[in-house]
Amino acid sequence: MAHLSASEDGSAENSPAFDIIQHGHKDLVQAIAFNAYGDRCATGSVDGKIRVFNRHQDGVWRLCDNWKAHAGEILELQWLPPTIYPNLLASLGIEGRFRLWAEDPSAAPGRRFSARDGNGKTVSELRSGRYPYRSFSVKHDEVTRCTYVALLAADGHLTVYEGEEPELPVADYAKFDDFQACAKPNRGEETCFKVRFDPNPEPCYTALRAGVPTDALGLVVSGLTTVKIFRTRDTVTSSFGAATRGREFYLAVEIKDHNHLVRDVAWAPGNFRGYDMIATACQDGFVRVFRIDTPFNEDDGKSWSLGDILGKTRSDENPASRNSHLRRQSQVPSGIRAEIDKSGTHGERTSTDLPGQVHHTVKVLSKLSAHHSPVWRVGFDDDGQILGSVGDEGKLMCHRQLPDGSWAKSSELGMMKARMTAPPNNLS
């Protein structure tokens, strides 16, 4: 792999300049993903190939492996946390197949993910029966060691799987939830679907005080011109006198500020602010940043102490006490009644004020128009302090949050072709 550094002494580790990396793909690169440490990069091309690069101690990026992963264009890539052994890489192709790739650390470079014939060694593969998958998101809980996979199909149907061992095939995961997240598009209509998990390990402290469980999952889903945020609530079902605790997604809030196609969504890490932030990339050329709040009653008799906010949840952490408490309840709904209470098991979820649903509000923080062209990608850094976006003009715009909560452009990065000219001759 060719490596061109701006520093002449070769010390790329301390060089403040960017490095130009020749990725080596024969076609357009459509997807790219870095691991949590920032020392591994995976690129996916329109020709269906994935290439993995490692950053060595000398600061040089070198090719680790490349293989034929999908029959066509690769839509999305995501690394699973490096705490999982072996390292896992998830990918989604235009044909709608979700695949999981595992690294073999004992293999020689060039064979870590691929076999001798140049094809990848698939750990897991999943595809939809009717409509192809168009977006996915993976979240791993370091406390419970559970892995969640959300898959959004081309008809707006969302399926979430849960597994205790991420290296197992996704087909062996338990189905966590299954419902219609977005309206089904019309035939021939231009579409775009995205799904992203809440990257924070727990909900923000104001959401916890408002009643959101500590183990609640969050999802932001975009389909066509709509953006919806879902959270999980605790449910209790009774079968033959035994109460069982479960969880299901409900519609927390819907964002209706878009009149054009939403190309990408991002959920900001770092919810220590007391609220969540969602960013969207829209076809109309605007990047919008939204603030998600969970209002709570200040006269609820609670303080900001950990015991008041998490007291109920911590008492539920003991399975024996939880089960005994649930079985003593005389008004536990039956399994049939619980299914009726669900706001559409496979239909579109709506806010119905069922027990466990917490009220959410949305507010527009900023409407950024730095691109002046359709915006295709948007994403936050690991701390949620920098927001990056890429548009049709091929420039990366970086934005930062101001003290008043709004966002403003802070920097711009673009590639320019410069013609090399010879220095003028000294005629004297």
PDB file of all heavy atoms in Angstrom, residues 362-386:
ATOM      1  N   VAL A 362     -38.734  17.126  21.629  1.00  0.00           N
ATOM      2  CA  VAL A 362     -37.686  17.393  20.657  1.00  0.00           C
ATOM      3  C   VAL A 362     -37.631  18.885  20.382  1.00  0.00           C
ATOM      4  O   VAL A 362     -38.667  19.568  20.352  1.00  0.00           O
ATOM      5  CB  VAL A 362     -37.923  16.597  19.346  1.00  0.00           C
ATOM      6  CG1 VAL A 362     -39.251  16.962  18.718  1.00  0.00           C
ATOM      7  CG2 VAL A 362     -36.780  16.811  18.367  1.00  0.00           C
ATOM      8  N   LYS A 363     -36.414  19.396  20.196  1.00  0.00           N
ATOM      9  CA  LYS A 363     -36.190  20.812  19.934  1.00  0.00           C
ATOM     10  C   LYS A 363     -35.057  20.943  18.926  1.00  0.00           C
ATOM     11  O   LYS A 363     -34.055  20.241  19.020  1.00  0.00           O
ATOM     12  CB  LYS A 363     -35.835  21.543  21.235  1.00  0.00           C
ATOM     13  CG  LYS A 363     -35.394  22.987  21.056  1.00  0.00           C
ATOM     14  CD  LYS A 363     -34.929  23.579  22.364  1.00  0.00           C
ATOM     15  CE  LYS A 363     -34.383  24.991  22.184  1.00  0.00           C
ATOM     16  NZ  LYS A 363     -33.870  25.546  23.467  1.00  0.00           N
ATOM     17  N   VAL A 364     -35.214  21.833  17.964  1.00  0.00           N
ATOM     18  CA  VAL A 364     -34.185  22.064  16.957  1.00  0.00           C
ATOM     19  C   VAL A 364     -33.105  22.961  17.555  1.00  0.00           C
ATOM     20  O   VAL A 364     -33.380  24.087  17.984  1.00  0.00           O
ATOM     21  CB  VAL A 364     -34.775  22.702  15.696  1.00  0.00           C
ATOM     22  CG1 VAL A 364     -33.676  22.929  14.664  1.00  0.00           C
ATOM     23  CG2 VAL A 364     -35.875  21.839  15.111  1.00  0.00           C
ATOM     24  N   LEU A 365     -31.874  22.463  17.600  1.00  0.00           N
ATOM     25  CA  LEU A 365     -30.753  23.265  18.082  1.00  0.00           C
ATOM     26  C   LEU A 365     -30.131  24.100  16.974  1.00  0.00           C
ATOM     27  O   LEU A 365     -29.825  25.270  17.171  1.00  0.00           O
ATOM     28  CB  LEU A 365     -29.686  22.357  18.706  1.00  0.00           C
ATOM     29  CG  LEU A 365     -30.026  21.705  20.045  1.00  0.00           C
ATOM     30  CD1 LEU A 365     -28.866  20.831  20.516  1.00  0.00           C
ATOM     31  CD2 LEU A 365     -30.338  22.753  21.095  1.00  0.00           C
ATOM     32  N   SER A 366     -29.924  23.490  15.810  1.00  0.00           N
ATOM     33  CA  SER A 366     -29.274  24.207  14.711  1.00  0.00           C
ATOM     34  C   SER A 366     -29.735  23.625  13.382  1.00  0.00           C
ATOM     35  O   SER A 366     -30.073  22.435  13.281  1.00  0.00           O
ATOM     36  CB  SER A 366     -27.746  24.112  14.804  1.00  0.00           C
ATOM     37  OG  SER A 366     -27.270  24.765  15.956  1.00  0.00           O
ATOM     38  N   LYS A 367     -29.729  24.502  12.382  1.00  0.00           N
ATOM     39  CA  LYS A 367     -30.004  24.120  11.004  1.00  0.00           C
ATOM     40  C   LYS A 367     -28.863  24.662  10.169  1.00  0.00           C
ATOM     41  O   LYS A 367     -28.827  25.846   9.820  1.00  0.00           O
ATOM     42  CB  LYS A 367     -31.358  24.680  10.552  1.00  0.00           C
ATOM     43  CG  LYS A 367     -31.808  24.227   9.183  1.00  0.00           C
ATOM     44  CD  LYS A 367     -33.181  24.792   8.857  1.00  0.00           C
ATOM     45  CE  LYS A 367     -33.639  24.381   7.465  1.00  0.00           C
ATOM     46  NZ  LYS A 367     -34.965  24.970   7.125  1.00  0.00           N
ATOM     47  N   LEU A 368     -27.902  23.793   9.851  1.00  0.00           N
ATOM     48  CA  LEU A 368     -26.635  24.192   9.239  1.00  0.00           C
ATOM     49  C   LEU A 368     -26.705  24.053   7.727  1.00  0.00           C
ATOM     50  O   LEU A 368     -27.147  23.022   7.207  1.00  0.00           O
ATOM     51  CB  LEU A 368     -25.497  23.347   9.802  1.00  0.00           C
ATOM     52  CG  LEU A 368     -25.417  23.305  11.344  1.00  0.00           C
ATOM     53  CD1 LEU A 368     -24.436  22.252  11.805  1.00  0.00           C
ATOM     54  CD2 LEU A 368     -25.036  24.676  11.885  1.00  0.00           C
ATOM     55  N   SER A 369     -26.229  25.087   7.031  1.00  0.00           N
ATOM     56  CA  SER A 369     -26.309  25.100   5.562  1.00  0.00           C
ATOM     57  C   SER A 369     -24.945  25.357   4.939  1.00  0.00           C
ATOM     58  O   SER A 369     -24.845  26.071   3.933  1.00  0.00           O
ATOM     59  CB  SER A 369     -27.302  26.165   5.104  1.00  0.00           C
ATOM     60  OG  SER A 369     -26.897  27.447   5.560  1.00  0.00           O
ATOM     61  N   ALA A 370     -23.891  24.803   5.514  1.00  0.00           N
ATOM     62  CA  ALA A 370     -22.545  25.079   5.007  1.00  0.00           C
ATOM     63  C   ALA A 370     -22.270  24.387   3.683  1.00  0.00           C
ATOM     64  O   ALA A 370     -21.396  24.827   2.923  1.00  0.00           O
ATOM     65  CB  ALA A 370     -21.505  24.644   6.046  1.00  0.00           C
ATOM     66  N   HIS A 371     -22.979  23.327   3.372  1.00  0.00           N
ATOM     67  CA  HIS A 371     -22.651  22.556   2.166  1.00  0.00           C
ATOM     68  C   HIS A 371     -23.206  23.191   0.889  1.00  0.00           C
ATOM     69  O   HIS A 371     -22.583  23.109  -0.172  1.00  0.00           O
ATOM     70  CB  HIS A 371     -23.188  21.132   2.306  1.00  0.00           C
ATOM     71  CG  HIS A 371     -22.416  20.285   3.277  1.00  0.00           C
ATOM     72  ND1 HIS A 371     -21.208  19.706   2.965  1.00  0.00           N
ATOM     73  CD2 HIS A 371     -22.675  19.933   4.559  1.00  0.00           C
ATOM     74  CE1 HIS A 371     -20.756  19.027   4.007  1.00  0.00           C
ATOM     75  NE2 HIS A 371     -21.629  19.149   4.984  1.00  0.00           N
ATOM     76  N   HIS A 372     -24.408  23.764   0.954  1.00  0.00           N
ATOM     77  CA  HIS A 372     -25.066  24.317  -0.236  1.00  0.00           C
ATOM     78  C   HIS A 372     -25.269  23.243  -1.300  1.00  0.00           C
ATOM     79  O   HIS A 372     -25.286  23.536  -2.502  1.00  0.00           O
ATOM     80  CB  HIS A 372     -24.266  25.487  -0.821  1.00  0.00           C
ATOM     81  CG  HIS A 372     -24.034  26.589   0.166  1.00  0.00           C
ATOM     82  ND1 HIS A 372     -25.027  27.429   0.634  1.00  0.00           N
ATOM     83  CD2 HIS A 372     -22.890  26.974   0.801  1.00  0.00           C
ATOM     84  CE1 HIS A 372     -24.522  28.292   1.489  1.00  0.00           C
ATOM     85  NE2 HIS A 372     -23.233  28.045   1.628  1.00  0.00           N
ATOM     86  N   SER A 373     -25.403  22.007  -0.879  1.00  0.00           N
ATOM     87  CA  SER A 373     -25.638  20.876  -1.779  1.00  0.00           C
ATOM     88  C   SER A 373     -26.186  19.731  -0.943  1.00  0.00           C
ATOM     89  O   SER A 373     -26.104  19.762   0.297  1.00  0.00           O
ATOM     90  CB  SER A 373     -24.338  20.455  -2.493  1.00  0.00           C
ATOM     91  OG  SER A 373     -23.388  19.990  -1.553  1.00  0.00           O
ATOM     92  N   PRO A 374     -26.768  18.703  -1.565  1.00  0.00           N
ATOM     93  CA  PRO A 374     -27.292  17.577  -0.789  1.00  0.00           C
ATOM     94  C   PRO A 374     -26.233  16.967   0.132  1.00  0.00           C
ATOM     95  O   PRO A 374     -25.079  16.790  -0.255  1.00  0.00           O
ATOM     96  CB  PRO A 374     -27.736  16.584  -1.862  1.00  0.00           C
ATOM     97  CG  PRO A 374     -28.048  17.435  -3.048  1.00  0.00           C
ATOM     98  CD  PRO A 374     -27.068  18.566  -3.003  1.00  0.00           C
ATOM     99  N   VAL A 375     -26.630  16.658   1.366  1.00  0.00           N
ATOM    100  CA  VAL A 375     -25.731  16.090   2.365  1.00  0.00           C
ATOM    101  C   VAL A 375     -25.974  14.589   2.427  1.00  0.00           C
ATOM    102  O   VAL A 375     -27.124  14.136   2.491  1.00  0.00           O
ATOM    103  CB  VAL A 375     -25.960  16.737   3.747  1.00  0.00           C
ATOM    104  CG1 VAL A 375     -24.888  16.274   4.722  1.00  0.00           C
ATOM    105  CG2 VAL A 375     -25.955  18.255   3.631  1.00  0.00           C
ATOM    106  N   TRP A 376     -24.873  13.815   2.439  1.00  0.00           N
ATOM    107  CA  TRP A 376     -24.985  12.361   2.356  1.00  0.00           C
ATOM    108  C   TRP A 376     -24.597  11.651   3.648  1.00  0.00           C
ATOM    109  O   TRP A 376     -25.130  10.592   3.945  1.00  0.00           O
ATOM    110  CB  TRP A 376     -24.101  11.841   1.213  1.00  0.00           C
ATOM    111  CG  TRP A 376     -24.616  12.207  -0.130  1.00  0.00           C
ATOM    112  CD1 TRP A 376     -24.392  13.366  -0.818  1.00  0.00           C
ATOM    113  CD2 TRP A 376     -25.493  11.432  -0.958  1.00  0.00           C
ATOM    114  NE1 TRP A 376     -25.058  13.357  -2.026  1.00  0.00           N
ATOM    115  CE2 TRP A 376     -25.729  12.177  -2.140  1.00  0.00           C
ATOM    116  CE3 TRP A 376     -26.086  10.175  -0.821  1.00  0.00           C
ATOM    117  CZ2 TRP A 376     -26.542  11.712  -3.164  1.00  0.00           C
ATOM    118  CZ3 TRP A 376     -26.893   9.713  -1.858  1.00  0.00           C
ATOM    119  CH2 TRP A 376     -27.112  10.469  -3.006  1.00  0.00           C
ATOM    120  N   ARG A 377     -23.671  12.195   4.385  1.00  0.00           N
ATOM    121  CA  ARG A 377     -23.203  11.509   5.597  1.00  0.00           C
ATOM    122  C   ARG A 377     -23.092  12.521   6.738  1.00  0.00           C
ATOM    123  O   ARG A 377     -22.736  13.680   6.533  1.00  0.00           O
ATOM    124  CB  ARG A 377     -21.833  10.851   5.368  1.00  0.00           C
ATOM    125  CG  ARG A 377     -21.857   9.680   4.406  1.00  0.00           C
ATOM    126  CD  ARG A 377     -22.550   8.468   5.006  1.00  0.00           C
ATOM    127  NE  ARG A 377     -22.440   7.312   4.129  1.00  0.00           N
ATOM    128  CZ  ARG A 377     -23.313   7.008   3.174  1.00  0.00           C
ATOM    129  NH1 ARG A 377     -24.353   7.810   2.977  1.00  0.00           N
ATOM    130  NH2 ARG A 377     -23.151   5.945   2.412  1.00  0.00           N
ATOM    131  N   VAL A 378     -23.367  12.035   7.939  1.00  0.00           N
ATOM    132  CA  VAL A 378     -23.239  12.846   9.136  1.00  0.00           C
ATOM    133  C   VAL A 378     -22.822  11.934  10.278  1.00  0.00           C
ATOM    134  O   VAL A 378     -23.218  10.756  10.320  1.00  0.00           O
ATOM    135  CB  VAL A 378     -24.573  13.573   9.458  1.00  0.00           C
ATOM    136  CG1 VAL A 378     -25.656  12.587   9.849  1.00  0.00           C
ATOM    137  CG2 VAL A 378     -24.381  14.608  10.539  1.00  0.00           C
ATOM    138  N   GLY A 379     -21.981  12.445  11.184  1.00  0.00           N
ATOM    139  CA  GLY A 379     -21.517  11.622  12.293  1.00  0.00           C
ATOM    140  C   GLY A 379     -20.828  12.455  13.359  1.00  0.00           C
ATOM    141  O   GLY A 379     -20.252  13.513  13.071  1.00  0.00           O
ATOM    142  N   PHE A 380     -20.920  11.971  14.613  1.00  0.00           N
ATOM    143  CA  PHE A 380     -20.256  12.607  15.748  1.00  0.00           C
ATOM    144  C   PHE A 380     -18.950  11.893  16.048  1.00  0.00           C
ATOM    145  O   PHE A 380     -18.758  10.729  15.685  1.00  0.00           O
ATOM    146  CB  PHE A 380     -21.148  12.557  16.986  1.00  0.00           C
ATOM    147  CG  PHE A 380     -22.371  13.429  16.915  1.00  0.00           C
ATOM    148  CD1 PHE A 380     -23.581  12.914  16.464  1.00  0.00           C
ATOM    149  CD2 PHE A 380     -22.321  14.752  17.307  1.00  0.00           C
ATOM    150  CE1 PHE A 380     -24.711  13.708  16.406  1.00  0.00           C
ATOM    151  CE2 PHE A 380     -23.445  15.561  17.248  1.00  0.00           C
ATOM    152  CZ  PHE A 380     -24.643  15.031  16.795  1.00  0.00           C
ATOM    153  N   ASP A 381     -18.058  12.610  16.749  1.00  0.00           N
ATOM    154  CA  ASP A 381     -16.858  11.959  17.248  1.00  0.00           C
ATOM    155  C   ASP A 381     -17.215  11.170  18.510  1.00  0.00           C
ATOM    156  O   ASP A 381     -18.364  11.154  18.954  1.00  0.00           O
ATOM    157  CB  ASP A 381     -15.756  12.986  17.516  1.00  0.00           C
ATOM    158  CG  ASP A 381     -16.082  13.883  18.697  1.00  0.00           C
ATOM    159  OD1 ASP A 381     -17.278  14.088  18.972  1.00  0.00           O
ATOM    160  OD2 ASP A 381     -15.148  14.380  19.338  1.00  0.00           O
ATOM    161  N   ASP A 382     -16.228  10.490  19.104  1.00  0.00           N
ATOM    162  CA  ASP A 382     -16.494   9.595  20.226  1.00  0.00           C
ATOM    163  C   ASP A 382     -16.963  10.319  21.473  1.00  0.00           C
ATOM    164  O   ASP A 382     -17.537   9.693  22.369  1.00  0.00           O
ATOM    165  CB  ASP A 382     -15.244   8.770  20.561  1.00  0.00           C
ATOM    166  CG  ASP A 382     -14.920   7.754  19.476  1.00  0.00           C
ATOM    167  OD1 ASP A 382     -15.839   7.434  18.701  1.00  0.00           O
ATOM    168  OD2 ASP A 382     -13.769   7.293  19.401  1.00  0.00           O
ATOM    169  N   ASP A 383     -16.724  11.622  21.578  1.00  0.00           N
ATOM    170  CA  ASP A 383     -17.153  12.397  22.735  1.00  0.00           C
ATOM    171  C   ASP A 383     -18.407  13.220  22.467  1.00  0.00           C
ATOM    172  O   ASP A 383     -18.918  13.876  23.378  1.00  0.00           O
ATOM    173  CB  ASP A 383     -16.032  13.332  23.208  1.00  0.00           C
ATOM    174  CG  ASP A 383     -14.804  12.571  23.665  1.00  0.00           C
ATOM    175  OD1 ASP A 383     -14.985  11.480  24.247  1.00  0.00           O
ATOM    176  OD2 ASP A 383     -13.682  13.056  23.440  1.00  0.00           O
ATOM    177  N   GLY A 384     -18.870  13.229  21.237  1.00  0.00           N
ATOM    178  CA  GLY A 384     -20.029  14.037  20.899  1.00  0.00           C
ATOM    179  C   GLY A 384     -19.748  15.518  20.865  1.00  0.00           C
ATOM    180  O   GLY A 384     -20.674  16.341  20.915  1.00  0.00           O
ATOM    181  N   GLN A 385     -18.473  15.908  20.747  1.00  0.00           N
ATOM    182  CA  GLN A 385     -18.089  17.319  20.748  1.00  0.00           C
ATOM    183  C   GLN A 385     -17.956  17.891  19.344  1.00  0.00           C
ATOM    184  O   GLN A 385     -18.063  19.105  19.164  1.00  0.00           O
ATOM    185  CB  GLN A 385     -16.754  17.496  21.489  1.00  0.00           C
ATOM    186  CG  GLN A 385     -16.754  16.965  22.902  1.00  0.00           C
ATOM    187  CD  GLN A 385     -17.645  17.771  23.826  1.00  0.00           C
ATOM    188  OE1 GLN A 385     -17.841  18.956  23.622  1.00  0.00           O
ATOM    189  NE2 GLN A 385     -18.186  17.133  24.837  1.00  0.00           N
ATOM    190  N   ILE A 386     -17.691  17.037  18.365  1.00  0.00           N
ATOM    191  CA  ILE A 386     -17.492  17.468  16.978  1.00  0.00           C
ATOM    192  C   ILE A 386     -18.489  16.731  16.093  1.00  0.00           C
ATOM    193  O   ILE A 386     -18.655  15.513  16.208  1.00  0.00           O
ATOM    194  CB  ILE A 386     -16.058  17.206  16.495  1.00  0.00           C
ATOM    195  CG1 ILE A 386     -15.048  17.933  17.387  1.00  0.00           C
ATOM    196  CG2 ILE A 386     -15.883  17.636  15.048  1.00  0.00           C
ATOM    197  CD1 ILE A 386     -13.610  17.644  17.041  1.00  0.00           C
TER     198      ILE A 386
END
